[in-house]
Amino acid sequence: MTKTSLTKWLFALMLAMVLVLAACSGETGSEDPGDDEDTEEPADNEEGTEEEEEEEPAEDDGLFSIDDFSMDKTNQGEAIDGGSITFGLVSDTVFEGTLNFNFYSGNPDYEVIAWFDEPLLYTDENYTYTNEGPASYEISDDGLTFTLTIKDGVNWHDGEPVTAEDWAFAYEVIGHPDYDGVRYTSDFANVVGMEEYHNGEADSISGIEIVDEKTLKITHHETGPSMVTGGIWSYALAKHIFEDIPVADMSSSDAVRKNPIGMGPYKVDSIVPGESVVYKKNEDYWRGEPKLDEVVLKVVAPETVVNELETGGVDLVNSFPVDQFPDNADLSNVEYLGMIDNAYTYIGFKLGHWDADAGEVVMDPDAKMADVNLRKAMWHAVDNDAVGNEFYNGLRWNATTLIIPFFPDYHDETIETPTFDPDEANRLLDEAGYADVDGDGIREDKDGEELTINFASMSGGDTAEPLAQYYIQSWKNVGLNVELVDGRLLEFNTFYDRVEADDPGIDIYQGAWGTGTDVNPDGLYGRTASFNYPRYASEENDRLLKEGNSEAALDVEYRQDVYKEWQQLMVDEIPVFPTLYRSVLMPVNNRVLNYTIAPGEYIRHEIAVSEEEPLVAE
Amino acid sequence: MIDMWKFTLRRILIMIPQIILLSILIFILAKMMPGDALTGMIDPNVSPERLEELREKLGWNDPWHIQYADWVGGLVQGDFGQSFRFKMPVTELIGERIVNSFWLSVATLIFTYLIAIPLGILSGRYNDSLLDQTITGYTYLGFATPLFIFALVMLWVFGFMLGWFPTSGSVSPGSEPGTFAYVMSKINHLILPAIAMALIATVNTVQYLRSEIIDTKQKDFILTARAKGASESRVYNRHILRNSLLPIAAFFGYEITFLIGGTIFVETIYNYPGMGLLFFESITLRDYSVVTAVVLLFGVAAILGALLSDIILSLVDPRIRIK
């Protein structure tokens, strides 16, 4: 090979490598798995920069506290007549365009639907059904039968009244064997006659009775406190439009994708698939004519949301990456609203496996993490307040129990949970028999064998790697050798695939849960819950979870006591330990009036503006 | 001319096994991706039993070769299947998006050549001058700049700071299709991403054209032309340029491959709903039927691009028609 051709080859090789490198960093730069997903899904370890920019005047240390944020927008100025606002749907992905509560699957679609349709039963700040919404309810004495009455004046956008038939029709479609969505849950199976109907053995649902045009009776097999937080499917489906469409074709029909219909304060005027939606006010809205003439929804990438807010490109957003807040805390044209998020991050310990045939969790007494003192020591070894301050500027903070402060009635602040105390961790480990036999600074297991704990953690965002390394270092400080599974962070889907399959290579993992709005933790920690990833079960746990959702628990005080006991049990047994509670921040342009993010407030028709054009940052 | 047809035919025949192999690879790789469209839905409000029921109903639990046969069976009838997440036929979904990508690509190509041809000519004609060095400097910068960073900077400067161009989407919300305002809004939305992509894509062509011109300049027939007393502009415009542009034309097919790679970044950054963004989304959503269809189309486009280049090249330069 001559010299010139060698140089040529080298050059080509270098060029190729540059391209490969560029491609690689491109992937990591824009991938943020899970962000586009429903908020009620396992939140990933997204976001957060560790830049400690100490320029916020309000706080000397650059730290923030969620207590300083209000859920309600401060009104500035007087409302003008009409006006138009732009709502930013912050998402990596477009909305899929399944624009009906009965068929959608992703959260972006939910955000689009929520402007033009609404539930028949409103909920209050505790996420319990009220009689304030388009329909009211009454429960029979045995708690099993709900009588639902739709109010007069509640009409679909085309002027047809919303009827009991429309409501029953939603049940019939979701329960139908041909239904292709994900909304069929145990709440549906709980309706008398639903399972027979779902399996194709019956033509109608025996437990649903249409009393008159506006009244409907639904009878259930079982009842409990969850019945009034989510036991009823409260979204009607316009029968006069959908009855001629076969169930299997409904979700792809024009009535869902192109001309969606609802009964909410705004009507869909035009849709650019995946990009934007224009809504016009629904003058016939049952709670009165909306104040705004028009709402424009457009998809905004998380990378550019701050610029859009600064320039007035959007007035409101559906979510805001909290890690971008510290640098933009003093934008002059927006006000940040904030509340506690219904999610928490946690470390889970693998204690058994899932028995698919029996459909339940089986504990393994020989599991590596089976000793509760080991788990407790690991909790003592980490300083979550420091993590919250260093990585999230105080906008995430040390978590205590598994019922989060998002549920103020049930979260018990008085429970003492292990806090950062390496000495205590060392003491526990010494007592439990995890001694350093060979003197290398690393503890061996009880039999004197080498102990390596395999830690699975998710990739995504800038903080995932340093955070995982911080935990590993903290455990090393108390003599525990913890290593990342495969030596690296796992991609979102791989992570859940392997955790779900009880991969023997995973001993502990860092995950996150969105809790939804029902306090009942049975779906995540029950014996028969497949989301019970630590695979923990005990009779005490079974008992408490059952009592917490029994008829007796309709009495709030009783339920509080049960859940208090359960929170204590989880602190004693530690199948998982929560690490961080989270906050939600929501920037709103100053011209927007009457806005709030408080739960249980249905205010979209009240929103108004004080200026024709959005305010721009100075 | 017969030779020409033989060559083309042979080239097309080679494509068939290429495409079959491509389809198998794509399908297996897509299935090997961890998770499926339902994995992301770990949600206490969605029951795992329902998800399993859906997986069974949709045939996702079948062995891969059965799924592959189903897929190919649909493909030959022009049916890419149903998108699970978008709840609509993939063909329709792609139809919606490919129009956007097509116009973005056309605009990019126009800008690419608008920039490349004058710069290449200037650089080649006055080689080793300060002008040439500046242009070459730009091309090196272009080679070194990753598109996704450059696109972001362009968005920030021209979209947000100066506010000259819209920052996301392919058309203003609420525009009426078919109206003049709608078309203008469409054009307005694709200028910035197209320029961003063209400024990077063009550097190849500039370099190529430059070296072609320098090369041709020293050919004997140019000396002859000069000796005959042809004016300098005639020499450049008639003799050198003509000969130098031919290989550039051949390069055109390969530009398509670059465009595909480029659109994935650019469409994501500008939130421009075309094929690139669809590709990206369908992977994050694990929407298999869309992933496979989009990748297959990309692959076929790249193969066709190469074919186009070869045909143009063989027209221009009969020597390369290999037997």
Side-chain angles (χ1 to χ4, degrees):
Chain A
M1 196 176 269
T2 64
K3 197 174 167 225
T4 35
S5 73
L6 188 72
T7 355
K8 250 191 220 160
W9 276 106
L10 266 176
F11 180 70
L13 193 72
M14 270 174 59
L15 210 72
M17 275 164 65
V18 166
L19 285 177
V20 169
L21 282 178
C24 290
S25 47
E27 289 293 307
T28 43
S30 36
E31 204 169 54
D32 202 0
D35 238 9
D36 50 313
E37 305 291 345
D38 202 300
T39 47
E40 292 169 353
E41 286 161 14
D44 49 329
N45 294 323
E46 85 276 42
E47 293 121 42
T49 51
E50 53 281 47
E51 282 173 47
E52 291 292 306
E53 301 234 357
E54 306 194 0
E55 56 185 14
E56 168 60 18
E59 302 270 342
D60 300 326
D61 48 4
L63 295 180
F64 302 92
S65 164
I66 193 62
D67 300 335
D68 301 336
F69 291 89
S70 160
M71 293 197 276
D72 302 323
K73 173 82 171 54
T74 332
N75 282 353
Q76 301 180 5
E78 292 294 312
I80 57 167
D81 275 343
S84 164
I85 60 168
T86 310
F87 175 80
L89 176 57
V90 180
S91 170
D92 276 344
T93 57
V94 298
F95 58 92
E96 290 145 346
T98 321
L99 302 181
N100 190 302
F101 278 129
N102 297 285
F103 302 105
Y104 84 98
S105 56
N107 190 50
D109 276 353
Y110 172 86
E111 297 290 345
V112 177
I113 303 167
W115 284 99
F116 72 83
D117 202 2
E118 59 181 16
L120 286 159
L121 291 174
Y122 282 4
T123 51
D124 63 11
E125 68 277 8
N126 290 316
Y127 313 101
T128 308
Y129 294 142
T130 67
N131 287 327
E132 310 296 313
S136 59
Y137 71 104
E138 259 174 68
I139 311 176
S140 63
D141 292 337
D142 60 7
L144 294 174
T145 304
F146 277 64
T147 306
L148 306 159
T149 311
I150 301 167
K151 293 175 185 164
D152 289 329
V154 179
N155 294 334
W156 295 108
H157 289 158
D158 60 5
E160 293 286 323
V162 178
T163 63
E165 290 229 355
D166 292 328
W167 204 338
F169 189 55
Y171 273 88
E172 286 162 12
V173 167
I174 294 178
H176 197 279
D178 292 342
Y179 172 70
D180 61 356
V182 295
R183 300 291 148 197
Y184 186 81
T185 58
S186 55
D187 290 327
F188 282 89
N190 190 24
V191 174
V192 171
M194 182 59 98
E195 285 201 67
E196 292 79 359
Y197 175 74
H198 182 64
N199 296 332
E201 294 154 16
D203 292 335
S204 62
I205 306 158
S206 55
I208 298 183
E209 182 198 341
I210 294 171
V211 179
D212 58 43
E213 201 192 324
K214 291 281 186 182
T215 316
L216 172 81
K217 264 190 184 162
I218 304 181
T219 310
H220 301 88
H221 291 295
E222 283 171 17
T223 188
S226 291
M227 278 307 294
V228 293
T229 58
I232 300 290
W233 180 255
S234 55
Y235 301 105
L237 184 62
K239 191 169 181 176
H240 64 283
I241 291 176
F242 284 92
E243 64 184 338
D244 297 330
I245 307 172
V247 174
D249 299 336
M250 281 182 183
S251 62
S252 52
S253 66
D254 284 357
V256 166
R257 306 197 61 89
K258 294 193 177 138
N259 313 305
I261 191 171
M263 53 178 160
Y266 302 94
K267 298 178 185 184
V268 175
D269 183 59
S270 70
I271 301 176
V272 181
E275 277 182 49
S276 60
V277 179
V278 178
Y279 307 92
K280 296 279 186 232
K281 71 175 167 189
N282 171 16
E283 286 164 10
D284 189 30
Y285 182 53
W286 70 279
R287 288 164 76 199
E289 189 178 325
K291 298 204 163 101
L292 292 173
D293 288 335
E294 184 188 68
V295 174
V296 177
L297 174 146
K298 69 175 186 182
V299 178
V300 175
E303 295 86 16
T304 56
V305 59
V306 169
N307 303 94
E308 292 280 5
L309 285 161
E310 257 180 334
T311 55
V314 296
D315 292 296
L316 302 170
V317 290
N318 69 312
S319 78
F320 184 76
V322 174
D323 60 325
Q324 295 186 21
F325 171 71
D327 291 342
N328 299 293
D330 33 7
L331 279 186
S332 62
N333 63 334
V334 302
E335 176 178 340
Y336 285 92
L337 311 182
M339 64 187 278
I340 294 171
D341 197 1
N342 58 346
Y344 58 92
T345 321
Y346 70 98
I347 302 275
F349 300 96
K350 279 290 188 182
L351 303 172
H353 65 272
W354 175 252
D355 182 341
D357 295 332
E360 62 173 39
V361 163
V362 181
M363 291 263 283
D364 172 10
D366 299 324
K368 199 185 278 180
M369 309 311 294
D371 189 334
V372 69
N373 284 318
L374 172 61
R375 307 199 294 265
K376 197 168 182 185
M378 290 181 79
W379 194 345
H380 273 302
V382 295
D383 185 355
N384 285 316
D385 264 325
V387 169
N389 290 342
E390 294 293 322
F391 288 99
Y392 301 102
N393 294 71
L395 291 169
R396 292 188 184 178
W397 60 96
N398 180 44
T400 54
T401 73
L402 288 181
I403 289 182
I404 59 179
F406 181 77
F407 301 104
D409 286 359
Y410 297 99
H411 171 68
D412 191 341
E413 287 176 349
T414 61
I415 291 178
E416 290 243 353
T417 56
T419 45
F420 180 55
D421 187 350
D423 295 335
E424 175 68 6
N426 276 316
R427 193 187 62 78
L428 284 166
L429 289 170
D430 287 340
E431 269 179 25
Y434 292 93
D436 177 11
V437 186
D438 54 12
D440 60 354
I442 299 295
R443 292 171 189 275
E444 277 68 42
D445 70 9
K446 290 173 181 175
D447 305 325
E449 304 284 330
E450 198 175 305
L451 176 69
T452 305
I453 297 168
N454 298 306
F455 177 38
S457 194
M458 248 181 285
S459 62
D462 300 333
T463 46
E465 181 83 42
L467 190 58
Q469 293 302 339
Y470 167 78
Y471 282 127
I472 291 175
Q473 189 57 45
S474 304
W475 289 320
K476 195 164 194 174
N477 290 343
V478 297
L480 292 171
N481 181 25
V482 179
E483 286 176 5
L484 280 179
V485 170
D486 294 354
R488 60 185 170 86
L489 300 177
L490 303 177
E491 178 266 345
F492 174 82
N493 282 285
T494 321
F495 176 86
Y496 275 105
D497 265 8
R498 291 176 67 173
V499 169
E500 200 172 356
D502 300 321
D503 185 323
I506 297 177
D507 302 316
I508 64 175
Y509 64 95
Q510 179 180 224
W513 278 124
T515 55
T517 50
D518 182 3
V519 66
N520 181 9
D522 188 47
L524 299 181
Y525 297 101
R527 187 184 284 273
T528 54
S530 61
F531 292 142
N532 180 344
Y533 290 140
R535 308 306 184 205
Y536 161 84
S538 73
E539 291 190 356
E540 183 68 358
N541 186 42
D542 293 347
R543 180 183 71 82
L544 289 171
L545 290 179
K546 191 155 187 271
E547 280 176 7
N549 201 29
S550 62
E551 262 188 86
L554 284 165
D555 172 29
V556 174
E557 268 179 45
Y558 173 82
R559 199 180 192 203
Q560 280 168 343
D561 286 342
V562 173
Y563 282 145
K564 183 185 163 87
E565 250 188 274
W566 182 78
Q567 289 174 71
Q568 185 63 51
L569 178 76
M570 288 296 110
V571 172
D572 296 337
E573 303 254 298
I574 321 183
V576 308
F577 70 83
T579 52
L580 297 170
Y581 292 147
R582 305 170 166 209
S583 47
V584 187
L585 294 183
M586 218 62 96
V588 183
N589 194 287
N590 281 334
R591 73 168 176 144
V592 177
L593 307 177
N594 311 332
Y595 186 68
T596 175
I597 56 169
E601 296 285 342
Y602 295 80
I603 43 83
R604 287 182 205 259
H605 68 294
E606 298 270 354
I607 301 175
V609 287
S610 59
E611 314 260 343
E612 280 294 340
E613 295 296 322
L615 302 169
V616 177
E618 284 153 18
Chain B
M1 209 54 211
I2 292 290
D3 252 19
M4 181 60 225
W5 287 113
K6 265 191 185 162
F7 169 78
T8 311
L9 192 69
R10 200 164 42 229
R11 246 340 239 93
I12 290 174
L13 283 179
I14 295 174
M15 274 174 55
I16 295 172
Q18 274 179 334
I19 289 177
I20 293 177
L21 194 68
L22 180 76
S23 76
I24 296 181
L25 271 180
I26 290 169
F27 194 79
I28 294 179
L29 285 178
K31 287 287 160 190
M32 271 168 66
M33 283 197 301
D36 60 37
L38 293 170
T39 323
M41 264 178 248
I42 308 175
D43 174 342
N45 296 335
V46 173
S47 74
E49 291 77 26
R50 173 66 187 161
L51 300 188
E52 205 37 59
E53 191 183 330
L54 277 174
R55 284 194 179 105
E56 195 57 48
K57 207 162 92 178
L58 294 163
W60 293 350
N61 291 338
D62 295 341
W64 78 269
H65 56 270
I66 294 184
Q67 294 190 45
Y68 178 74
D70 282 351
W71 183 58
V72 172
L75 277 191
V76 290
Q77 296 164 31
D79 176 14
F80 284 110
Q82 185 85 8
S83 155
F84 179 75
R85 291 299 292 258
F86 289 87
K87 298 264 184 286
M88 62 198 283
V90 177
T91 327
E92 207 176 297
L93 182 62
I94 287 179
E96 230 169 49
R97 301 295 194 89
I98 208 165
V99 186
N100 284 337
S101 277
F102 174 76
W103 288 115
L104 179 62
S105 304
V106 168
T108 308
L109 281 177
I110 292 175
F111 285 122
T112 305
Y113 288 110
L114 273 185
I115 300 166
I117 292 175
L119 288 192
I121 291 174
L122 285 175
S123 187
R125 180 164 177 177
Y126 305 107
N127 65 315
D128 297 331
S129 67
L130 186 66
L131 181 67
D132 172 42
Q133 278 160 2
T134 318
I135 293 172
T136 326
Y138 155 66
T139 62
Y140 286 140
L141 264 181
F143 274 125
T145 314
L147 176 58
F148 55 91
I149 300 214
F150 185 70
L152 213 56
V153 172
M154 292 280 285
L155 177 64
W156 185 64
V157 173
F158 296 103
F160 289 112
M161 267 174 56
L162 300 173
W164 292 354
F165 296 102
T167 48
S168 73
S170 71
V171 65
S172 309
S175 312
E176 200 76 39
T179 59
F180 179 70
Y182 179 82
V183 177
M184 286 317 284
S185 164
K186 278 252 173 198
I187 293 175
N188 198 18
H189 276 78
L190 58 77
I191 289 179
L192 191 58
I195 289 184
M197 206 152 53
L199 280 173
I200 297 290
T202 198
V203 296
N204 280 308
T205 320
V206 173
Q207 281 275 340
Y208 208 37
L209 190 56
R210 174 183 180 270
S211 53
E212 276 299 327
I213 290 179
I214 295 174
D215 213 33
T216 321
K217 267 201 313 205
Q218 287 144 6
K219 291 270 167 62
D220 291 342
F221 69 90
I222 299 296
L223 285 179
T224 318
R226 284 223 171 88
K228 284 199 302 190
S231 73
E232 198 62 359
S233 68
R234 189 181 162 87
V235 168
Y236 272 99
N237 293 341
R238 297 294 296 271
H239 298 279
I240 299 183
L241 194 57
R242 261 195 183 181
N243 282 287
S244 308
L245 276 182
L246 288 175
I248 301 297
F251 198 61
F252 173 78
Y254 293 108
E255 291 281 355
I256 294 178
T257 331
F258 175 85
L259 283 177
I260 292 170
T263 50
I264 295 174
F265 293 123
V266 167
E267 288 181 3
T268 317
I269 289 163
Y270 291 85
N271 244 313
Y272 185 88
M275 296 289 283
L277 191 60
L278 183 64
F279 167 77
F280 192 73
E281 286 162 1
S282 58
I283 286 189
T284 40
L285 297 174
R286 294 293 187 274
D287 203 345
Y288 292 129
S289 44
V290 183
V291 177
T292 46
V294 172
V295 181
L296 188 69
L297 282 185
F298 281 172
V300 170
I303 291 175
L304 284 178
L307 173 76
L308 194 66
S309 275
D310 282 358
I311 292 178
I312 297 178
L313 209 61
S314 74
L315 278 175
V316 174
D317 186 352
R319 282 169 302 175
I320 68 132
R321 286 178 215 158
I322 344 112
K323 293 283 172 300

